[in-house]
PDB file of all heavy atoms in Angstrom:
ATOM      1  N   GLY A 108     -10.591   0.963  11.246  1.00  0.00           N
ATOM      2  CA  GLY A 108      -9.976  -0.208  10.640  1.00  0.00           C
ATOM      3  C   GLY A 108     -10.860  -1.433  10.819  1.00  0.00           C
ATOM      4  O   GLY A 108     -12.070  -1.346  10.916  1.00  0.00           O
ATOM      5  N   THR A 109     -10.240  -2.609  10.853  1.00  0.00           N
ATOM      6  CA  THR A 109     -10.954  -3.848  11.130  1.00  0.00           C
ATOM      7  C   THR A 109     -10.780  -4.159  12.603  1.00  0.00           C
ATOM      8  O   THR A 109      -9.664  -4.332  13.079  1.00  0.00           O
ATOM      9  CB  THR A 109     -10.375  -4.996  10.282  1.00  0.00           C
ATOM     10  OG1 THR A 109     -10.515  -4.670   8.898  1.00  0.00           O
ATOM     11  CG2 THR A 109     -11.102  -6.298  10.572  1.00  0.00           C
ATOM     12  N   SER A 110     -11.878  -4.201  13.328  1.00  0.00           N
ATOM     13  CA  SER A 110     -11.770  -4.431  14.767  1.00  0.00           C
ATOM     14  C   SER A 110     -12.998  -5.165  15.285  1.00  0.00           C
ATOM     15  O   SER A 110     -14.040  -5.189  14.640  1.00  0.00           O
ATOM     16  CB  SER A 110     -11.598  -3.109  15.519  1.00  0.00           C
ATOM     17  OG  SER A 110     -12.774  -2.323  15.438  1.00  0.00           O
ATOM     18  N   VAL A 111     -12.826  -5.743  16.464  1.00  0.00           N
ATOM     19  CA  VAL A 111     -13.929  -6.445  17.097  1.00  0.00           C
ATOM     20  C   VAL A 111     -13.836  -6.253  18.612  1.00  0.00           C
ATOM     21  O   VAL A 111     -12.736  -6.249  19.179  1.00  0.00           O
ATOM     22  CB  VAL A 111     -13.906  -7.959  16.738  1.00  0.00           C
ATOM     23  CG1 VAL A 111     -12.639  -8.631  17.240  1.00  0.00           C
ATOM     24  CG2 VAL A 111     -15.147  -8.666  17.258  1.00  0.00           C
ATOM     25  N   HIS A 112     -14.974  -6.056  19.236  1.00  0.00           N
ATOM     26  CA  HIS A 112     -15.028  -5.970  20.702  1.00  0.00           C
ATOM     27  C   HIS A 112     -15.334  -7.357  21.254  1.00  0.00           C
ATOM     28  O   HIS A 112     -16.232  -8.050  20.774  1.00  0.00           O
ATOM     29  CB  HIS A 112     -16.119  -4.992  21.141  1.00  0.00           C
ATOM     30  CG  HIS A 112     -16.349  -5.002  22.622  1.00  0.00           C
ATOM     31  ND1 HIS A 112     -15.620  -4.237  23.491  1.00  0.00           N
ATOM     32  CD2 HIS A 112     -17.220  -5.715  23.392  1.00  0.00           C
ATOM     33  CE1 HIS A 112     -16.026  -4.454  24.727  1.00  0.00           C
ATOM     34  NE2 HIS A 112     -17.003  -5.350  24.687  1.00  0.00           N
ATOM     35  N   VAL A 113     -14.559  -7.769  22.246  1.00  0.00           N
ATOM     36  CA  VAL A 113     -14.788  -9.068  22.879  1.00  0.00           C
ATOM     37  C   VAL A 113     -14.863  -8.887  24.396  1.00  0.00           C
ATOM     38  O   VAL A 113     -14.266  -7.967  24.945  1.00  0.00           O
ATOM     39  CB  VAL A 113     -13.659 -10.069  22.529  1.00  0.00           C
ATOM     40  CG1 VAL A 113     -13.656 -10.371  21.036  1.00  0.00           C
ATOM     41  CG2 VAL A 113     -12.295  -9.541  22.951  1.00  0.00           C
ATOM     42  N   ARG A 114     -15.601  -9.786  25.045  1.00  0.00           N
ATOM     43  CA  ARG A 114     -15.715  -9.715  26.504  1.00  0.00           C
ATOM     44  C   ARG A 114     -14.592 -10.513  27.159  1.00  0.00           C
ATOM     45  O   ARG A 114     -14.813 -11.480  27.896  1.00  0.00           O
ATOM     46  CB  ARG A 114     -17.089 -10.207  26.953  1.00  0.00           C
ATOM     47  CG  ARG A 114     -18.209  -9.215  26.675  1.00  0.00           C
ATOM     48  CD  ARG A 114     -19.480  -9.582  27.421  1.00  0.00           C
ATOM     49  NE  ARG A 114     -19.250  -9.683  28.862  1.00  0.00           N
ATOM     50  CZ  ARG A 114     -19.194  -8.639  29.695  1.00  0.00           C
ATOM     51  NH1 ARG A 114     -19.300  -7.404  29.227  1.00  0.00           N
ATOM     52  NH2 ARG A 114     -19.004  -8.837  30.992  1.00  0.00           N
ATOM     53  N   LEU A 115     -13.382 -10.130  26.815  1.00  0.00           N
ATOM     54  CA  LEU A 115     -12.165 -10.672  27.407  1.00  0.00           C
ATOM     55  C   LEU A 115     -11.283  -9.487  27.759  1.00  0.00           C
ATOM     56  O   LEU A 115     -11.345  -8.451  27.101  1.00  0.00           O
ATOM     57  CB  LEU A 115     -11.422 -11.574  26.421  1.00  0.00           C
ATOM     58  CG  LEU A 115     -12.144 -12.795  25.842  1.00  0.00           C
ATOM     59  CD1 LEU A 115     -11.285 -13.425  24.753  1.00  0.00           C
ATOM     60  CD2 LEU A 115     -12.442 -13.806  26.939  1.00  0.00           C
ATOM     61  N   ASN A 116     -10.480  -9.639  28.799  1.00  0.00           N
ATOM     62  CA  ASN A 116      -9.527  -8.559  29.054  1.00  0.00           C
ATOM     63  C   ASN A 116      -8.366  -8.694  28.055  1.00  0.00           C
ATOM     64  O   ASN A 116      -8.242  -9.724  27.383  1.00  0.00           O
ATOM     65  CB  ASN A 116      -9.057  -8.567  30.503  1.00  0.00           C
ATOM     66  CG  ASN A 116      -8.321  -9.835  30.891  1.00  0.00           C
ATOM     67  OD1 ASN A 116      -7.482 -10.341  30.142  1.00  0.00           O
ATOM     68  ND2 ASN A 116      -8.640 -10.384  32.075  1.00  0.00           N
ATOM     69  N   PRO A 117      -7.512  -7.686  27.893  1.00  0.00           N
ATOM     70  CA  PRO A 117      -6.452  -7.756  26.885  1.00  0.00           C
ATOM     71  C   PRO A 117      -5.547  -8.971  27.012  1.00  0.00           C
ATOM     72  O   PRO A 117      -5.145  -9.557  25.998  1.00  0.00           O
ATOM     73  CB  PRO A 117      -5.680  -6.447  27.107  1.00  0.00           C
ATOM     74  CG  PRO A 117      -6.706  -5.503  27.630  1.00  0.00           C
ATOM     75  CD  PRO A 117      -7.589  -6.335  28.509  1.00  0.00           C
ATOM     76  N   ALA A 118      -5.231  -9.390  28.251  1.00  0.00           N
ATOM     77  CA  ALA A 118      -4.360 -10.553  28.429  1.00  0.00           C
ATOM     78  C   ALA A 118      -5.036 -11.825  27.929  1.00  0.00           C
ATOM     79  O   ALA A 118      -4.398 -12.692  27.310  1.00  0.00           O
ATOM     80  CB  ALA A 118      -3.966 -10.704  29.892  1.00  0.00           C
ATOM     81  N   GLU A 119      -6.334 -11.953  28.206  1.00  0.00           N
ATOM     82  CA  GLU A 119      -7.071 -13.131  27.746  1.00  0.00           C
ATOM     83  C   GLU A 119      -7.203 -13.137  26.222  1.00  0.00           C
ATOM     84  O   GLU A 119      -7.062 -14.184  25.579  1.00  0.00           O
ATOM     85  CB  GLU A 119      -8.449 -13.158  28.385  1.00  0.00           C
ATOM     86  CG  GLU A 119      -8.419 -13.411  29.883  1.00  0.00           C
ATOM     87  CD  GLU A 119      -9.770 -13.166  30.545  1.00  0.00           C
ATOM     88  OE1 GLU A 119     -10.562 -12.359  30.025  1.00  0.00           O
ATOM     89  OE2 GLU A 119     -10.024 -13.790  31.595  1.00  0.00           O
ATOM     90  N   ALA A 120      -7.502 -11.962  25.649  1.00  0.00           N
ATOM     91  CA  ALA A 120      -7.622 -11.870  24.195  1.00  0.00           C
ATOM     92  C   ALA A 120      -6.292 -12.181  23.518  1.00  0.00           C
ATOM     93  O   ALA A 120      -6.239 -12.870  22.499  1.00  0.00           O
ATOM     94  CB  ALA A 120      -8.102 -10.470  23.798  1.00  0.00           C
ATOM     95  N   TRP A 121      -5.208 -11.688  24.111  1.00  0.00           N
ATOM     96  CA  TRP A 121      -3.871 -11.971  23.578  1.00  0.00           C
ATOM     97  C   TRP A 121      -3.582 -13.473  23.598  1.00  0.00           C
ATOM     98  O   TRP A 121      -3.103 -14.038  22.624  1.00  0.00           O
ATOM     99  CB  TRP A 121      -2.830 -11.222  24.398  1.00  0.00           C
ATOM    100  CG  TRP A 121      -1.413 -11.580  24.099  1.00  0.00           C
ATOM    101  CD1 TRP A 121      -0.692 -12.610  24.624  1.00  0.00           C
ATOM    102  CD2 TRP A 121      -0.539 -10.933  23.159  1.00  0.00           C
ATOM    103  NE1 TRP A 121       0.575 -12.642  24.095  1.00  0.00           N
ATOM    104  CE2 TRP A 121       0.690 -11.624  23.195  1.00  0.00           C
ATOM    105  CE3 TRP A 121      -0.669  -9.836  22.320  1.00  0.00           C
ATOM    106  CZ2 TRP A 121       1.781 -11.243  22.412  1.00  0.00           C
ATOM    107  CZ3 TRP A 121       0.404  -9.461  21.540  1.00  0.00           C
ATOM    108  CH2 TRP A 121       1.617 -10.158  21.590  1.00  0.00           C
ATOM    109  N   ALA A 122      -3.892 -14.111  24.722  1.00  0.00           N
ATOM    110  CA  ALA A 122      -3.630 -15.548  24.854  1.00  0.00           C
ATOM    111  C   ALA A 122      -4.428 -16.347  23.830  1.00  0.00           C
ATOM    112  O   ALA A 122      -3.920 -17.299  23.226  1.00  0.00           O
ATOM    113  CB  ALA A 122      -3.957 -16.011  26.269  1.00  0.00           C
ATOM    114  N   MET A 123      -5.678 -15.941  23.610  1.00  0.00           N
ATOM    115  CA  MET A 123      -6.491 -16.646  22.624  1.00  0.00           C
ATOM    116  C   MET A 123      -5.944 -16.419  21.212  1.00  0.00           C
ATOM    117  O   MET A 123      -5.891 -17.356  20.404  1.00  0.00           O
ATOM    118  CB  MET A 123      -7.952 -16.195  22.697  1.00  0.00           C
ATOM    119  CG  MET A 123      -8.825 -16.803  21.607  1.00  0.00           C
ATOM    120  SD  MET A 123     -10.563 -16.406  21.791  1.00  0.00           S
ATOM    121  CE  MET A 123     -10.968 -17.531  23.136  1.00  0.00           C
ATOM    122  N   PHE A 124      -5.532 -15.212  20.919  1.00  0.00           N
ATOM    123  CA  PHE A 124      -5.053 -14.890  19.579  1.00  0.00           C
ATOM    124  C   PHE A 124      -3.739 -15.605  19.265  1.00  0.00           C
ATOM    125  O   PHE A 124      -3.518 -16.049  18.144  1.00  0.00           O
ATOM    126  CB  PHE A 124      -4.857 -13.378  19.437  1.00  0.00           C
ATOM    127  CG  PHE A 124      -4.698 -12.927  18.009  1.00  0.00           C
ATOM    128  CD1 PHE A 124      -5.777 -12.391  17.315  1.00  0.00           C
ATOM    129  CD2 PHE A 124      -3.480 -13.032  17.349  1.00  0.00           C
ATOM    130  CE1 PHE A 124      -5.641 -11.982  15.996  1.00  0.00           C
ATOM    131  CE2 PHE A 124      -3.330 -12.625  16.038  1.00  0.00           C
ATOM    132  CZ  PHE A 124      -4.413 -12.097  15.356  1.00  0.00           C
ATOM    133  N   THR A 125      -2.873 -15.726  20.255  1.00  0.00           N
ATOM    134  CA  THR A 125      -1.537 -16.289  20.020  1.00  0.00           C
ATOM    135  C   THR A 125      -1.479 -17.780  20.356  1.00  0.00           C
ATOM    136  O   THR A 125      -1.477 -18.627  19.463  1.00  0.00           O
ATOM    137  CB  THR A 125      -0.495 -15.509  20.827  1.00  0.00           C
ATOM    138  OG1 THR A 125      -0.855 -15.517  22.223  1.00  0.00           O
ATOM    139  CG2 THR A 125      -0.407 -14.064  20.349  1.00  0.00           C
ATOM    140  N   ASP A 126      -1.468 -18.099  21.646  1.00  0.00           N
ATOM    141  CA  ASP A 126      -1.349 -19.507  22.045  1.00  0.00           C
ATOM    142  C   ASP A 126      -2.531 -20.342  21.567  1.00  0.00           C
ATOM    143  O   ASP A 126      -2.381 -21.534  21.272  1.00  0.00           O
ATOM    144  CB  ASP A 126      -1.236 -19.610  23.571  1.00  0.00           C
ATOM    145  CG  ASP A 126       0.033 -18.960  24.098  1.00  0.00           C
ATOM    146  OD1 ASP A 126       0.993 -18.819  23.305  1.00  0.00           O
ATOM    147  OD2 ASP A 126       0.063 -18.575  25.282  1.00  0.00           O
ATOM    148  N   GLY A 127      -3.710 -19.712  21.498  1.00  0.00           N
ATOM    149  CA  GLY A 127      -4.905 -20.458  21.084  1.00  0.00           C
ATOM    150  C   GLY A 127      -5.243 -20.307  19.610  1.00  0.00           C
ATOM    151  O   GLY A 127      -6.366 -20.613  19.196  1.00  0.00           O
ATOM    152  N   LEU A 128      -4.285 -19.864  18.807  1.00  0.00           N
ATOM    153  CA  LEU A 128      -4.539 -19.587  17.389  1.00  0.00           C
ATOM    154  C   LEU A 128      -5.200 -20.757  16.665  1.00  0.00           C
ATOM    155  O   LEU A 128      -6.161 -20.582  15.906  1.00  0.00           O
ATOM    156  CB  LEU A 128      -3.217 -19.224  16.699  1.00  0.00           C
ATOM    157  CG  LEU A 128      -3.296 -18.902  15.204  1.00  0.00           C
ATOM    158  CD1 LEU A 128      -4.042 -17.586  14.981  1.00  0.00           C
ATOM    159  CD2 LEU A 128      -1.894 -18.816  14.598  1.00  0.00           C
ATOM    160  N   ALA A 129      -4.696 -21.952  16.909  1.00  0.00           N
ATOM    161  CA  ALA A 129      -5.209 -23.127  16.184  1.00  0.00           C
ATOM    162  C   ALA A 129      -6.650 -23.459  16.540  1.00  0.00           C
ATOM    163  O   ALA A 129      -7.313 -24.189  15.794  1.00  0.00           O
ATOM    164  CB  ALA A 129      -4.312 -24.335  16.456  1.00  0.00           C
ATOM    165  N   THR A 130      -7.154 -22.925  17.662  1.00  0.00           N
ATOM    166  CA  THR A 130      -8.516 -23.260  18.082  1.00  0.00           C
ATOM    167  C   THR A 130      -9.574 -22.416  17.395  1.00  0.00           C
ATOM    168  O   THR A 130     -10.753 -22.795  17.397  1.00  0.00           O
ATOM    169  CB  THR A 130      -8.669 -23.087  19.608  1.00  0.00           C
ATOM    170  OG1 THR A 130      -8.542 -21.696  19.950  1.00  0.00           O
ATOM    171  CG2 THR A 130      -7.626 -23.901  20.355  1.00  0.00           C
ATOM    172  N   TRP A 131      -9.178 -21.284  16.809  1.00  0.00           N
ATOM    173  CA  TRP A 131     -10.179 -20.430  16.174  1.00  0.00           C
ATOM    174  C   TRP A 131      -9.867 -20.040  14.730  1.00  0.00           C
ATOM    175  O   TRP A 131     -10.763 -19.631  13.990  1.00  0.00           O
ATOM    176  CB  TRP A 131     -10.377 -19.145  16.987  1.00  0.00           C
ATOM    177  CG  TRP A 131      -9.143 -18.276  17.083  1.00  0.00           C
ATOM    178  CD1 TRP A 131      -8.184 -18.326  18.029  1.00  0.00           C
ATOM    179  CD2 TRP A 131      -8.745 -17.258  16.157  1.00  0.00           C
ATOM    180  NE1 TRP A 131      -7.200 -17.404  17.773  1.00  0.00           N
ATOM    181  CE2 TRP A 131      -7.528 -16.718  16.628  1.00  0.00           C
ATOM    182  CE3 TRP A 131      -9.285 -16.741  14.981  1.00  0.00           C
ATOM    183  CZ2 TRP A 131      -6.844 -15.702  15.966  1.00  0.00           C
ATOM    184  CZ3 TRP A 131      -8.613 -15.717  14.329  1.00  0.00           C
ATOM    185  CH2 TRP A 131      -7.398 -15.205  14.822  1.00  0.00           C
ATOM    186  N   TRP A 132      -8.609 -20.193  14.316  1.00  0.00           N
ATOM    187  CA  TRP A 132      -8.269 -19.754  12.964  1.00  0.00           C
ATOM    188  C   TRP A 132      -9.019 -20.589  11.916  1.00  0.00           C
ATOM    189  O   TRP A 132      -9.085 -21.823  12.031  1.00  0.00           O
ATOM    190  CB  TRP A 132      -6.768 -19.878  12.715  1.00  0.00           C
ATOM    191  CG  TRP A 132      -6.369 -19.247  11.411  1.00  0.00           C
ATOM    192  CD1 TRP A 132      -6.248 -19.855  10.202  1.00  0.00           C
ATOM    193  CD2 TRP A 132      -6.081 -17.863  11.195  1.00  0.00           C
ATOM    194  NE1 TRP A 132      -5.899 -18.948   9.235  1.00  0.00           N
ATOM    195  CE2 TRP A 132      -5.790 -17.708   9.822  1.00  0.00           C
ATOM    196  CE3 TRP A 132      -6.030 -16.745  12.021  1.00  0.00           C
ATOM    197  CZ2 TRP A 132      -5.464 -16.473   9.258  1.00  0.00           C
ATOM    198  CZ3 TRP A 132      -5.696 -15.521  11.464  1.00  0.00           C
ATOM    199  CH2 TRP A 132      -5.418 -15.394  10.103  1.00  0.00           C
ATOM    200  N   PRO A 133      -9.593 -19.962  10.875  1.00  0.00           N
ATOM    201  CA  PRO A 133     -10.371 -20.694   9.857  1.00  0.00           C
ATOM    202  C   PRO A 133      -9.482 -21.444   8.868  1.00  0.00           C
ATOM    203  O   PRO A 133      -9.345 -21.073   7.694  1.00  0.00           O
ATOM    204  CB  PRO A 133     -11.164 -19.567   9.170  1.00  0.00           C
ATOM    205  CG  PRO A 133     -10.295 -18.350   9.310  1.00  0.00           C
ATOM    206  CD  PRO A 133      -9.638 -18.486  10.666  1.00  0.00           C
ATOM    207  N   VAL A 134      -8.876 -22.528   9.329  1.00  0.00           N
ATOM    208  CA  VAL A 134      -7.892 -23.254   8.513  1.00  0.00           C
ATOM    209  C   VAL A 134      -8.505 -23.889   7.265  1.00  0.00           C
ATOM    210  O   VAL A 134      -7.799 -24.154   6.292  1.00  0.00           O
ATOM    211  CB  VAL A 134      -7.170 -24.334   9.352  1.00  0.00           C
ATOM    212  CG1 VAL A 134      -6.267 -23.696  10.395  1.00  0.00           C
ATOM    213  CG2 VAL A 134      -8.188 -25.278  10.004  1.00  0.00           C
ATOM    214  N   SER A 135      -9.818 -24.138   7.291  1.00  0.00           N
ATOM    215  CA  SER A 135     -10.445 -24.755   6.116  1.00  0.00           C
ATOM    216  C   SER A 135     -10.553 -23.771   4.961  1.00  0.00           C
ATOM    217  O   SER A 135     -10.826 -24.168   3.822  1.00  0.00           O
ATOM    218  CB  SER A 135     -11.837 -25.279   6.480  1.00  0.00           C
ATOM    219  OG  SER A 135     -12.679 -24.211   6.872  1.00  0.00           O
ATOM    220  N   ARG A 136     -10.308 -22.494   5.267  1.00  0.00           N
ATOM    221  CA  ARG A 136     -10.419 -21.460   4.232  1.00  0.00           C
ATOM    222  C   ARG A 136      -9.126 -20.660   4.068  1.00  0.00           C
ATOM    223  O   ARG A 136      -8.726 -20.352   2.947  1.00  0.00           O
ATOM    224  CB  ARG A 136     -11.577 -20.522   4.583  1.00  0.00           C
ATOM    225  CG  ARG A 136     -11.746 -19.346   3.644  1.00  0.00           C
ATOM    226  CD  ARG A 136     -13.069 -18.674   3.922  1.00  0.00           C
ATOM    227  NE  ARG A 136     -13.144 -17.339   3.325  1.00  0.00           N
ATOM    228  CZ  ARG A 136     -14.184 -16.548   3.414  1.00  0.00           C
ATOM    229  NH1 ARG A 136     -15.264 -16.950   4.083  1.00  0.00           N
ATOM    230  NH2 ARG A 136     -14.176 -15.351   2.863  1.00  0.00           N
ATOM    231  N   LEU A 137      -8.477 -20.343   5.181  1.00  0.00           N
ATOM    232  CA  LEU A 137      -7.285 -19.510   5.144  1.00  0.00           C
ATOM    233  C   LEU A 137      -6.082 -20.301   5.647  1.00  0.00           C
ATOM    234  O   LEU A 137      -5.699 -20.217   6.806  1.00  0.00           O
ATOM    235  CB  LEU A 137      -7.478 -18.243   6.000  1.00  0.00           C
ATOM    236  CG  LEU A 137      -8.664 -17.348   5.628  1.00  0.00           C
ATOM    237  CD1 LEU A 137      -8.743 -16.159   6.569  1.00  0.00           C
ATOM    238  CD2 LEU A 137      -8.553 -16.879   4.186  1.00  0.00           C
ATOM    239  N   SER A 138      -5.502 -21.089   4.758  1.00  0.00           N
ATOM    240  CA  SER A 138      -4.304 -21.862   5.083  1.00  0.00           C
ATOM    241  C   SER A 138      -3.658 -22.315   3.786  1.00  0.00           C
ATOM    242  O   SER A 138      -4.296 -22.328   2.729  1.00  0.00           O
ATOM    243  CB  SER A 138      -4.637 -23.070   5.960  1.00  0.00           C
ATOM    244  OG  SER A 138      -5.434 -24.003   5.251  1.00  0.00           O
ATOM    245  N   VAL A 139      -2.396 -22.704   3.868  1.00  0.00           N
ATOM    246  CA  VAL A 139      -1.705 -23.244   2.696  1.00  0.00           C
ATOM    247  C   VAL A 139      -2.366 -24.552   2.274  1.00  0.00           C
ATOM    248  O   VAL A 139      -2.572 -24.812   1.089  1.00  0.00           O
ATOM    249  CB  VAL A 139      -0.208 -23.452   2.998  1.00  0.00           C
ATOM    250  CG1 VAL A 139       0.489 -24.130   1.819  1.00  0.00           C
ATOM    251  CG2 VAL A 139       0.466 -22.130   3.334  1.00  0.00           C
ATOM    252  N   SER A 140      -2.706 -25.389   3.251  1.00  0.00           N
ATOM    253  CA  SER A 140      -3.329 -26.684   2.948  1.00  0.00           C
ATOM    254  C   SER A 140      -4.632 -26.497   2.181  1.00  0.00           C
ATOM    255  O   SER A 140      -4.902 -27.190   1.192  1.00  0.00           O
ATOM    256  CB  SER A 140      -3.587 -27.452   4.242  1.00  0.00           C
ATOM    257  OG  SER A 140      -2.387 -27.719   4.931  1.00  0.00           O
ATOM    258  N   ALA A 141      -5.452 -25.547   2.633  1.00  0.00           N
ATOM    259  CA  ALA A 141      -6.745 -25.318   1.987  1.00  0.00           C
ATOM    260  C   ALA A 141      -6.572 -24.818   0.560  1.00  0.00           C
ATOM    261  O   ALA A 141      -7.276 -25.259  -0.354  1.00  0.00           O
ATOM    262  CB  ALA A 141      -7.556 -24.317   2.800  1.00  0.00           C
ATOM    263  N   SER A 142      -5.622 -23.903   0.353  1.00  0.00           N
ATOM    264  CA  SER A 142      -5.448 -23.324  -0.981  1.00  0.00           C
ATOM    265  C   SER A 142      -4.801 -24.295  -1.957  1.00  0.00           C
ATOM    266  O   SER A 142      -5.079 -24.262  -3.150  1.00  0.00           O
ATOM    267  CB  SER A 142      -4.616 -22.044  -0.893  1.00  0.00           C
ATOM    268  OG  SER A 142      -3.319 -22.311  -0.403  1.00  0.00           O
ATOM    269  N   GLU A 143      -3.943 -25.192  -1.463  1.00  0.00           N
ATOM    270  CA  GLU A 143      -3.222 -26.094  -2.360  1.00  0.00           C
ATOM    271  C   GLU A 143      -3.945 -27.413  -2.626  1.00  0.00           C
ATOM    272  O   GLU A 143      -3.889 -27.940  -3.731  1.00  0.00           O
ATOM    273  CB  GLU A 143      -1.830 -26.389  -1.798  1.00  0.00           C
ATOM    274  CG  GLU A 143      -0.893 -25.183  -1.830  1.00  0.00           C
ATOM    275  CD  GLU A 143       0.516 -25.553  -1.423  1.00  0.00           C
ATOM    276  OE1 GLU A 143       0.718 -26.688  -0.951  1.00  0.00           O
ATOM    277  OE2 GLU A 143       1.414 -24.700  -1.572  1.00  0.00           O
ATOM    278  N   SER A 144      -4.610 -27.942  -1.610  1.00  0.00           N
ATOM    279  CA  SER A 144      -5.217 -29.272  -1.801  1.00  0.00           C
ATOM    280  C   SER A 144      -6.614 -29.403  -1.212  1.00  0.00           C
ATOM    281  O   SER A 144      -7.221 -30.470  -1.311  1.00  0.00           O
ATOM    282  CB  SER A 144      -4.307 -30.336  -1.174  1.00  0.00           C
ATOM    283  OG  SER A 144      -4.187 -30.117   0.233  1.00  0.00           O
ATOM    284  N   GLY A 145      -7.113 -28.335  -0.589  1.00  0.00           N
ATOM    285  CA  GLY A 145      -8.438 -28.428   0.026  1.00  0.00           C
ATOM    286  C   GLY A 145      -8.441 -29.232   1.308  1.00  0.00           C
ATOM    287  O   GLY A 145      -9.510 -29.579   1.824  1.00  0.00           O
ATOM    288  N   ALA A 146      -7.259 -29.516   1.839  1.00  0.00           N
ATOM    289  CA  ALA A 146      -7.150 -30.307   3.058  1.00  0.00           C
ATOM    290  C   ALA A 146      -7.002 -29.389   4.267  1.00  0.00           C
ATOM    291  O   ALA A 146      -6.986 -28.170   4.156  1.00  0.00           O
ATOM    292  CB  ALA A 146      -5.952 -31.242   2.955  1.00  0.00           C
ATOM    293  N   LEU A 147      -6.883 -30.022   5.437  1.00  0.00           N
ATOM    294  CA  LEU A 147      -6.638 -29.275   6.666  1.00  0.00           C
ATOM    295  C   LEU A 147      -5.183 -29.436   7.077  1.00  0.00           C
ATOM    296  O   LEU A 147      -4.563 -30.473   6.801  1.00  0.00           O
ATOM    297  CB  LEU A 147      -7.551 -29.792   7.792  1.00  0.00           C
ATOM    298  CG  LEU A 147      -9.052 -29.620   7.578  1.00  0.00           C
ATOM    299  CD1 LEU A 147      -9.816 -30.231   8.758  1.00  0.00           C
ATOM    300  CD2 LEU A 147      -9.420 -28.160   7.416  1.00  0.00           C
TER     301      LEU A 147
END
Side-chain angles (χ1 to χ4, degrees):
T109 300
S110 68
V111 62
H112 172 86
V113 295
R114 286 194 56 80
L115 302 172
N116 62 43
E119 292 169 333
W121 171 275
M123 175 174 284
F124 194 99
T125 56
D126 296 338
L128 180 69
T130 66
W131 63 270
W132 188 266
V134 291
S135 63
R136 176 168 164 180
L137 302 179
S138 66
V139 175
S140 299
S142 62
E143 291 187 351
S144 62
L147 297 178

